[in-house]
Amino acid sequence: MKIHEFQAKEILARYGVPVPLGQVTSSPAEARDIAKGIGKPVVVKAQVLVGGRGKAGGVKYAATPDDAEARAADILGMDIKGTTVQRVLVTEAANIAREIYLGMIVDRDSKSVLCMTSAEGGVEIEQVARTAPEKIIRSYADPFLGFPEFRARQLAFAVGIPPNLTRDFVKIVRALYQALVDADASLTEINPLVITNQGQLMALDAKIVLDDNALFRHKDLEALRDLAEEQEQERRAREFDLSYVKLDGTVGCMVNGAGLAMATMDMIKLYGGSPANFLDIGGGARADKVAAALRIILSDKSVRAVLFNIFGGITRCDEVARGVVTALSEVPTDVPMVARLVGTNEEEGRRILAAAHMGTAGTLAEAAQKAVAAAKGHS
Ligand code: GDP
Ligand code: MN
């Protein structure tokens, strides 16, 4: 679960991370008052759970309270990567001398917490990883020692923190680690961590991703869940007990079983396509669940073709086929679909789908190839 920048900053501030003054609001008039209270130029920032707000026009400088009101009016209601901005953070503007990246993640490869820092701050770390991987400096926490001072000092040196700010940097690194451990987070990140013209370190942006499986022991954090902004599809999937993860590709997939879903996604990639989602309808899914799953897939505008890969065991192929037909009668679409049904009642299932003019395939390889070709042909 992701939380908003202002919430992440509040948490990190409790650990001693320096953050600029600020307050959230959903009203331009109030943005003006907040800016007035701060008494200096401010930055008005969209609070949405997606990255790259700056580039999308969701971060604006305002020299005066009047400006702050106008910028808040611009940003509130704006659409950023599919989410509507409901709130803005009005925060003290900083004069930036340098922007640094600093982040902690739970790293599966090393089975420990990995701290990454880079002098290429302000840009997304994934981009630095692609274009200049040598500019990312890595250091690992120790499960028993935590993140020791000497390692944090090494990082400060490696990233070129001025000697007079080393102590402050070390504190911030350790705060980020402690916050991650205490909150059961999978990521705590400050990007950019800036050095101001006044020679101070300051967290201008913060991100925390919480581990959903640990939320039961963090009721206070769970209360921060932003239902309005959680992906509509993911919310509906939860309602129908479907495992759904949205991805960036164009081939929607509906599969029964997590392992089979992953194999299906691999096959799509093997044939040059890319999956639009991971979706496991689980064992024994009935028609209504299948219909709900298909509606979720089709509500994703980037889906150009749908691939069904159903292995009928407890799940009956005819039942799945009926669900598909039901969904199609409710949500008419011209998105091409390919189904591969094998196992219990497969002939009946194929007959139902053929009657509904849906393409079928005998093997997963054939189905994946057809779906990828269909996705490329359909725009
Ligand atoms: P993101 O685009 O969602 O990551 O939003 P950020 O909060 O990281 O802001 C993007 C960029 O806007 C930062 O990297 C800074 O360059 C700039 N920015 C943000 N806050 C300030 C500020 O207070 N002063 C100045 N001068 N620039 C800022
Ligand atoms: Mn940022």
Side-chain angles (χ1 to χ4, degrees), residues 5 9 20 42-43 45-46 48 50-56 58-59 61 91-96 99 121-124 191-192 194 204-206:
E5 172 193 8
K9 279 179 168 168
V42 295
V43 176
K45 309 180 73 175
V48 285
V50 290
R53 296 165 306 168
K55 268 191 219 144
V59 178
Y61 176 83
T91 180
E92 203 182 337
N95 296 309
I96 303 175
E99 294 189 281
V123 277
E124 284 181 36
N191 187 27
V194 302
L204 281 208
D205 187 13

Short mmCIF file of all heavy atoms in Angstrom, two decimals, residues 5 9 20 42-43 45-46 48 50-56 58-59 61 91-96 99 121-124 191-192 194 204-206, ligand 1:
data_model
loop_
_atom_site.label_atom_id
_atom_site.label_comp_id
_atom_site.label_asym_id
_atom_site.label_seq_id
_atom_site.Cartn_x
_atom_site.Cartn_y
_atom_site.Cartn_z
N GLU A 5 2.69 11.67 -0.19
CA GLU A 5 3.91 12.40 0.17
C GLU A 5 3.78 13.07 1.54
O GLU A 5 4.67 12.93 2.38
CB GLU A 5 4.18 13.48 -0.90
CG GLU A 5 5.30 14.42 -0.52
CD GLU A 5 5.37 15.66 -1.41
OE1 GLU A 5 4.46 15.88 -2.23
OE2 GLU A 5 6.35 16.41 -1.26
N LYS A 9 6.10 12.24 4.71
CA LYS A 9 6.93 13.28 5.34
C LYS A 9 6.65 13.39 6.83
O LYS A 9 7.57 13.58 7.62
CB LYS A 9 6.69 14.62 4.67
CG LYS A 9 7.45 14.80 3.36
CD LYS A 9 7.13 16.15 2.77
CE LYS A 9 8.07 16.51 1.64
NZ LYS A 9 7.57 17.68 0.89
N PRO A 20 10.36 20.43 4.80
CA PRO A 20 9.87 21.81 4.81
C PRO A 20 8.49 21.88 5.46
O PRO A 20 7.75 20.90 5.43
CB PRO A 20 9.78 22.17 3.32
CG PRO A 20 10.23 20.98 2.55
CD PRO A 20 10.43 19.84 3.46
N VAL A 42 6.07 29.47 -1.86
CA VAL A 42 5.73 28.07 -1.59
C VAL A 42 5.76 27.26 -2.89
O VAL A 42 5.87 27.81 -3.98
CB VAL A 42 4.32 27.92 -0.97
CG1 VAL A 42 4.27 28.57 0.41
CG2 VAL A 42 3.26 28.50 -1.90
N VAL A 43 5.67 25.94 -2.72
CA VAL A 43 5.46 25.06 -3.85
C VAL A 43 4.13 24.35 -3.59
O VAL A 43 3.87 23.91 -2.48
CB VAL A 43 6.62 24.04 -3.99
CG1 VAL A 43 6.36 23.06 -5.12
CG2 VAL A 43 7.94 24.77 -4.24
N LYS A 45 1.85 21.22 -4.48
CA LYS A 45 2.13 19.87 -4.99
C LYS A 45 0.93 18.95 -4.95
O LYS A 45 0.32 18.74 -3.89
CB LYS A 45 3.27 19.25 -4.17
CG LYS A 45 4.48 20.15 -4.04
CD LYS A 45 5.58 19.52 -3.22
CE LYS A 45 6.27 18.42 -4.01
NZ LYS A 45 7.43 17.88 -3.23
N ALA A 46 0.59 18.39 -6.10
CA ALA A 46 -0.50 17.42 -6.17
C ALA A 46 -0.18 16.24 -5.27
O ALA A 46 0.93 15.73 -5.28
CB ALA A 46 -0.65 16.94 -7.61
N VAL A 48 -0.96 12.72 -5.17
CA VAL A 48 -1.49 11.54 -5.86
C VAL A 48 -0.48 10.42 -5.66
O VAL A 48 0.70 10.67 -5.42
CB VAL A 48 -1.71 11.79 -7.38
CG1 VAL A 48 -2.95 12.64 -7.61
CG2 VAL A 48 -0.50 12.42 -8.03
N VAL A 50 0.96 8.47 -7.61
CA VAL A 50 1.79 8.09 -8.76
C VAL A 50 3.01 9.00 -8.83
O VAL A 50 2.97 10.13 -8.37
CB VAL A 50 1.02 8.16 -10.10
CG1 VAL A 50 -0.03 7.07 -10.17
CG2 VAL A 50 0.39 9.53 -10.29
N GLY A 51 4.09 8.47 -9.38
CA GLY A 51 5.32 9.25 -9.47
C GLY A 51 5.30 10.19 -10.66
O GLY A 51 4.37 10.20 -11.45
N GLY A 52 6.35 11.00 -10.75
CA GLY A 52 6.49 11.87 -11.91
C GLY A 52 5.48 13.00 -11.95
O GLY A 52 5.09 13.46 -13.02
N ARG A 53 5.06 13.46 -10.77
CA ARG A 53 4.09 14.55 -10.74
C ARG A 53 4.68 15.82 -11.30
O ARG A 53 4.00 16.61 -11.95
CB ARG A 53 3.65 14.81 -9.29
CG ARG A 53 2.93 13.67 -8.67
CD ARG A 53 2.88 13.88 -7.19
NE ARG A 53 4.24 14.09 -6.66
CZ ARG A 53 4.52 14.53 -5.47
NH1 ARG A 53 3.55 14.85 -4.65
NH2 ARG A 53 5.76 14.66 -5.06
N GLY A 54 5.97 16.02 -11.01
CA GLY A 54 6.65 17.23 -11.47
C GLY A 54 6.50 17.40 -12.97
O GLY A 54 6.02 18.42 -13.44
N LYS A 55 6.89 16.35 -13.69
CA LYS A 55 6.82 16.39 -15.17
C LYS A 55 5.40 16.55 -15.67
O LYS A 55 5.16 17.13 -16.71
CB LYS A 55 7.41 15.09 -15.73
CG LYS A 55 8.89 15.20 -16.03
CD LYS A 55 9.35 13.99 -16.83
CE LYS A 55 10.72 13.54 -16.37
NZ LYS A 55 10.90 12.09 -16.39
N ALA A 56 4.43 16.00 -14.91
CA ALA A 56 3.04 16.04 -15.34
C ALA A 56 2.38 17.38 -15.03
O ALA A 56 1.19 17.57 -15.27
CB ALA A 56 2.27 14.90 -14.69
N GLY A 58 2.18 18.72 -11.92
CA GLY A 58 1.55 18.69 -10.61
C GLY A 58 2.37 19.31 -9.49
O GLY A 58 1.99 19.21 -8.33
N VAL A 59 3.49 19.94 -9.83
CA VAL A 59 4.32 20.62 -8.82
C VAL A 59 4.62 22.02 -9.34
O VAL A 59 5.26 22.17 -10.37
CB VAL A 59 5.65 19.85 -8.59
CG1 VAL A 59 6.54 20.58 -7.59
CG2 VAL A 59 5.38 18.42 -8.12
N TYR A 61 5.58 26.27 -8.48
CA TYR A 61 6.12 27.29 -7.59
C TYR A 61 5.13 28.45 -7.50
O TYR A 61 4.51 28.82 -8.50
CB TYR A 61 7.46 27.76 -8.17
CG TYR A 61 8.11 28.88 -7.42
CD1 TYR A 61 8.87 28.62 -6.29
CD2 TYR A 61 7.97 30.20 -7.86
CE1 TYR A 61 9.49 29.66 -5.60
CE2 TYR A 61 8.58 31.24 -7.17
CZ TYR A 61 9.33 30.97 -6.04
OH TYR A 61 9.94 31.99 -5.38
N THR A 91 3.68 23.92 0.46
CA THR A 91 4.88 23.77 1.29
C THR A 91 5.94 24.80 0.94
O THR A 91 6.06 25.23 -0.21
CB THR A 91 5.41 22.32 1.14
OG1 THR A 91 6.57 22.17 1.95
CG2 THR A 91 5.77 21.98 -0.30
N GLU A 92 6.64 25.20 1.96
CA GLU A 92 7.75 26.14 1.87
C GLU A 92 8.67 25.79 0.69
O GLU A 92 9.11 24.66 0.58
CB GLU A 92 8.53 25.94 3.18
CG GLU A 92 9.37 27.04 3.65
CD GLU A 92 10.09 26.58 4.94
OE1 GLU A 92 9.59 25.64 5.63
OE2 GLU A 92 11.12 27.15 5.25
N ALA A 93 8.96 26.76 -0.16
CA ALA A 93 9.86 26.48 -1.29
C ALA A 93 11.30 26.50 -0.82
O ALA A 93 11.66 27.26 0.06
CB ALA A 93 9.65 27.51 -2.39
N ALA A 94 12.09 25.63 -1.43
CA ALA A 94 13.51 25.56 -1.05
C ALA A 94 14.35 26.08 -2.21
O ALA A 94 13.97 25.96 -3.37
CB ALA A 94 13.87 24.12 -0.73
N ASN A 95 15.50 26.67 -1.87
CA ASN A 95 16.47 27.04 -2.92
C ASN A 95 17.45 25.90 -3.03
O ASN A 95 18.20 25.63 -2.09
CB ASN A 95 17.21 28.32 -2.55
CG ASN A 95 16.25 29.49 -2.49
OD1 ASN A 95 15.49 29.72 -3.43
ND2 ASN A 95 16.26 30.20 -1.38
N ILE A 96 17.43 25.24 -4.16
CA ILE A 96 18.17 23.99 -4.27
C ILE A 96 19.56 24.19 -4.85
O ILE A 96 19.71 24.73 -5.94
CB ILE A 96 17.40 23.00 -5.18
CG1 ILE A 96 15.99 22.79 -4.62
CG2 ILE A 96 18.15 21.69 -5.31
CD1 ILE A 96 15.11 21.93 -5.50
N GLU A 99 20.56 18.08 -5.75
CA GLU A 99 19.51 17.10 -5.51
C GLU A 99 20.13 15.71 -5.44
O GLU A 99 20.88 15.32 -6.34
CB GLU A 99 18.47 17.13 -6.64
CG GLU A 99 17.70 18.43 -6.72
CD GLU A 99 16.53 18.36 -7.70
OE1 GLU A 99 16.78 18.48 -8.92
OE2 GLU A 99 15.39 18.18 -7.26
N GLY A 121 19.98 13.03 -8.19
CA GLY A 121 18.68 13.09 -7.52
C GLY A 121 17.65 13.81 -8.36
O GLY A 121 17.98 14.43 -9.36
N GLY A 122 16.38 13.70 -7.93
CA GLY A 122 15.31 14.41 -8.63
C GLY A 122 14.70 13.62 -9.76
O GLY A 122 13.52 13.74 -10.01
N VAL A 123 15.51 12.80 -10.42
CA VAL A 123 14.93 11.95 -11.47
C VAL A 123 14.59 10.59 -10.86
O VAL A 123 15.13 10.21 -9.83
CB VAL A 123 15.91 11.72 -12.65
CG1 VAL A 123 15.85 12.87 -13.61
CG2 VAL A 123 17.31 11.49 -12.17
N GLU A 124 13.72 9.86 -11.53
CA GLU A 124 13.33 8.55 -10.99
C GLU A 124 14.52 7.60 -11.02
O GLU A 124 15.27 7.56 -11.99
CB GLU A 124 12.16 7.98 -11.79
CG GLU A 124 10.86 8.69 -11.41
CD GLU A 124 9.64 8.17 -12.13
OE1 GLU A 124 9.59 6.95 -12.36
OE2 GLU A 124 8.76 8.98 -12.44
N ASN A 191 13.37 11.63 -2.49
CA ASN A 191 13.87 12.00 -3.81
C ASN A 191 13.12 13.20 -4.36
O ASN A 191 11.99 13.07 -4.79
CB ASN A 191 13.72 10.83 -4.79
CG ASN A 191 14.38 11.12 -6.12
OD1 ASN A 191 15.33 11.90 -6.19
ND2 ASN A 191 13.87 10.51 -7.17
N PRO A 192 13.72 14.36 -4.31
CA PRO A 192 15.11 14.60 -3.94
C PRO A 192 15.31 14.91 -2.46
O PRO A 192 14.47 15.54 -1.82
CB PRO A 192 15.44 15.85 -4.76
CG PRO A 192 14.14 16.61 -4.81
CD PRO A 192 13.06 15.56 -4.84
N VAL A 194 17.64 17.35 -0.77
CA VAL A 194 18.40 18.46 -1.34
C VAL A 194 19.38 19.06 -0.35
O VAL A 194 19.20 18.94 0.87
CB VAL A 194 17.48 19.59 -1.89
CG1 VAL A 194 16.54 19.05 -2.94
CG2 VAL A 194 16.72 20.26 -0.76
N LEU A 204 12.71 16.99 0.20
CA LEU A 204 11.66 17.72 -0.54
C LEU A 204 10.53 16.82 -1.02
O LEU A 204 9.46 17.28 -1.34
CB LEU A 204 12.26 18.45 -1.76
CG LEU A 204 12.99 19.76 -1.54
CD1 LEU A 204 12.90 20.63 -2.78
CD2 LEU A 204 12.48 20.51 -0.33
N ASP A 205 10.82 15.54 -1.12
CA ASP A 205 9.77 14.61 -1.53
C ASP A 205 10.02 13.31 -0.78
O ASP A 205 11.18 12.95 -0.55
CB ASP A 205 9.83 14.38 -3.06
CG ASP A 205 8.65 13.55 -3.57
OD1 ASP A 205 7.67 13.36 -2.81
OD2 ASP A 205 8.71 13.08 -4.73
N ALA A 206 8.96 12.62 -0.40
CA ALA A 206 9.13 11.36 0.33
C ALA A 206 8.11 10.36 -0.14
O ALA A 206 7.00 10.71 -0.55
CB ALA A 206 8.98 11.60 1.83
P1 GDP B 1 7.75 14.11 -8.24
O1 GDP B 1 7.91 14.65 -9.62
O2 GDP B 1 6.41 13.48 -8.06
O3 GDP B 1 8.86 13.20 -7.84
O4 GDP B 1 7.74 15.39 -7.25
P2 GDP B 1 8.93 16.08 -6.41
O5 GDP B 1 8.37 16.56 -5.14
O6 GDP B 1 10.13 15.22 -6.31
O7 GDP B 1 9.25 17.38 -7.27
C1 GDP B 1 9.82 17.29 -8.55
C2 GDP B 1 10.90 18.33 -8.71
O8 GDP B 1 10.39 19.63 -8.47
C3 GDP B 1 12.06 18.19 -7.72
O9 GDP B 1 13.03 17.28 -8.13
C4 GDP B 1 12.59 19.60 -7.69
O10 GDP B 1 13.50 19.80 -8.76
C5 GDP B 1 11.36 20.45 -7.91
N1 GDP B 1 10.92 20.99 -6.60
C6 GDP B 1 10.11 20.40 -5.70
N2 GDP B 1 9.99 21.18 -4.60
C7 GDP B 1 10.76 22.27 -4.83
C8 GDP B 1 11.09 23.44 -4.07
O11 GDP B 1 10.67 23.65 -2.95
N3 GDP B 1 11.92 24.36 -4.66
C9 GDP B 1 12.43 24.17 -5.91
N4 GDP B 1 13.23 25.10 -6.41
N5 GDP B 1 12.17 23.09 -6.63
C10 GDP B 1 11.34 22.14 -6.11
#
